[in-house]
């Protein structure tokens, strides 16, 4: 993120009163964000799930095709504008592989899913990733890029790393988030 953008983001940081918390679920593509978020939202029916890729497509927030990354560039400013009202309401789970362009004030907690490299390699190749795209994503996980980015973008104490190697990890991660939601309600809603 550019220095100017960081300053704007920081200036826009203030705490908001919400009756329900917002959750950001992030991590390298293939770590299991979408799978885990869907299970979470099946367990807690009041949550609203926003997958940023799908949301961007539906709301015309995609720019030109990026040949190297093999995907459309995301118009981050437009995504933020389009999402503002939804986030203000609260009770939203956002599923995305980047964390640094959202306003910090939007999220009460951030989970970064992590997967062992050999497992991730198999998941990404079976998804059809190859060449530079595969290499970039494996490097991203090896160098814990998303975890570091999240810790730079949000208060460290709200950023939590979760293992996502097998099915039982999905269940325990969902349980952990459900328990956190219950506690949040007790602490914040009288
Ligand atoms: P992401 O949203 O992070 O790109 P997905 O949820 O699409 O990842 O998962 C990628 C693939 O890995 C899917 O085939 C999914 O079924 C599988 N998967 C995800 N999480 C796990 C897990 N914890 N254990 C086993 N397989 C998983």
């Amino acid at each position: 993120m550019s220095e100017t953008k960081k300053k704007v983001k920081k200036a826009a940081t203030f705490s908001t009163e919400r009756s329900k918390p917002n959750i950001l679920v992030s991590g390298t593509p293939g770590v299991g964000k979408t799978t885990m978020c869907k299970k979470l939202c099946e367990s807690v029916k009041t949550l609203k799930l926003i997958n940023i890729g799908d949301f961007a497509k539906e709301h015309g927030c995609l720019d030109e095709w990026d040949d190297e990354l093999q995907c459309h560039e995301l118009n981050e400013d437009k995504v933020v504008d389009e999402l503002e009202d939804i986030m203000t309401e609260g009770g939203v789970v956002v599923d995305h592989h980047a964390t640094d362009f959202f306003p910090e004030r939007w999220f009460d907690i951030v989970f970064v899913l992590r997967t062992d490299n050999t497992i991730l390699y198999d998941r990404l190749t079976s998804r059809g990733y190859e060449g530079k795209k595969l290499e970039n994503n494996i490097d991203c996980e090896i160098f814990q890029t998303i975890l570091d980015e999240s810790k730079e973008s949000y208060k460290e104490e709200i950023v939590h790393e979760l293992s996502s190697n097998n099915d039982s990890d999905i269940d325990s991660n969902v349980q952990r988030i459900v328990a956190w939601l219950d506690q949040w309600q007790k602490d914040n809603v009288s």
Side-chain angles (χ1 to χ4, degrees):
M1 186 165 51
S2 73
E3 279 310 306
T4 328
K5 236 173 149 187
K6 272 185 190 157
K7 278 180 198 146
V8 170
K9 185 178 152 162
K10 212 166 183 177
T13 300
F14 55 86
S15 65
T16 339
E17 295 290 324
R18 279 186 282 271
S19 60
K20 289 177 282 178
N22 290 326
I23 299 171
L24 175 57
V25 176
S26 196
T28 308
V31 292
K33 300 180 292 297
T34 303
T35 308
M36 202 276 292
C37 287
K38 281 185 179 161
K39 279 214 160 185
L40 172 64
C41 294
E42 279 164 21
S43 291
V44 184
K45 299 270 192 275
T46 51
L47 290 171
K48 184 177 175 60
L49 176 56
I50 306 271
N51 173 294
I52 294 294
D54 295 343
F55 182 88
K57 254 182 244 160
E58 285 159 21
H59 291 80
C61 308
L62 293 176
D63 288 341
E64 297 116 61
W65 179 257
D66 183 321
D67 249 348
E68 196 191 322
L69 297 175
Q70 289 288 299
C71 61
H72 284 277
E73 276 176 33
L74 187 67
N75 185 329
E76 297 173 348
D77 291 340
K78 195 161 183 209
V79 169
V80 170
D81 286 347
E82 294 280 331
L83 266 177
E84 183 67 55
D85 289 348
I86 301 170
M87 299 306 292
T88 304
E89 271 182 40
V92 183
V93 178
V94 170
D95 162 0
H96 194 49
H97 57 262
T99 60
D100 63 354
F101 67 91
F102 302 116
E104 188 181 351
R105 67 189 151 78
W106 274 5
F107 296 104
D108 299 280
I109 198 159
V110 179
F111 293 102
V112 180
L113 303 189
R114 304 297 311 278
T115 300
D116 291 348
N117 299 318
T118 45
I119 299 174
L120 185 63
Y121 185 92
D122 291 344
R123 285 188 200 161
L124 291 178
T125 47
S126 58
R127 196 188 251 188
Y129 282 26
E130 54 185 11
K132 201 86 195 133
K133 189 171 185 175
L134 176 61
E135 203 183 301
N136 285 345
N137 281 295
I138 294 295
D139 281 354
C140 177
E141 191 58 11
I142 291 173
F143 295 114
Q144 61 173 55
T145 310
I146 312 292
L147 181 64
D148 290 346
E149 177 189 285
S150 302
K151 287 182 177 171
E152 278 168 26
S153 306
Y154 302 88
K155 287 192 192 119
E156 269 203 55
E157 62 265 29
I158 72 155
V159 178
H160 301 271
E161 201 175 349
L162 298 174
S163 285
S164 178
N165 291 319
N166 50 50
D167 288 344
S168 78
D169 286 339
I170 302 175
D171 293 337
S172 61
N173 291 337
V174 168
Q175 277 173 24
R176 180 168 166 187
I177 300 174
V178 171
W180 177 85
L181 279 164
D182 289 345
Q183 192 58 48
W184 192 96
Q185 287 294 331
K186 283 182 193 143
D187 294 344
N188 293 276
V189 182
S190 50

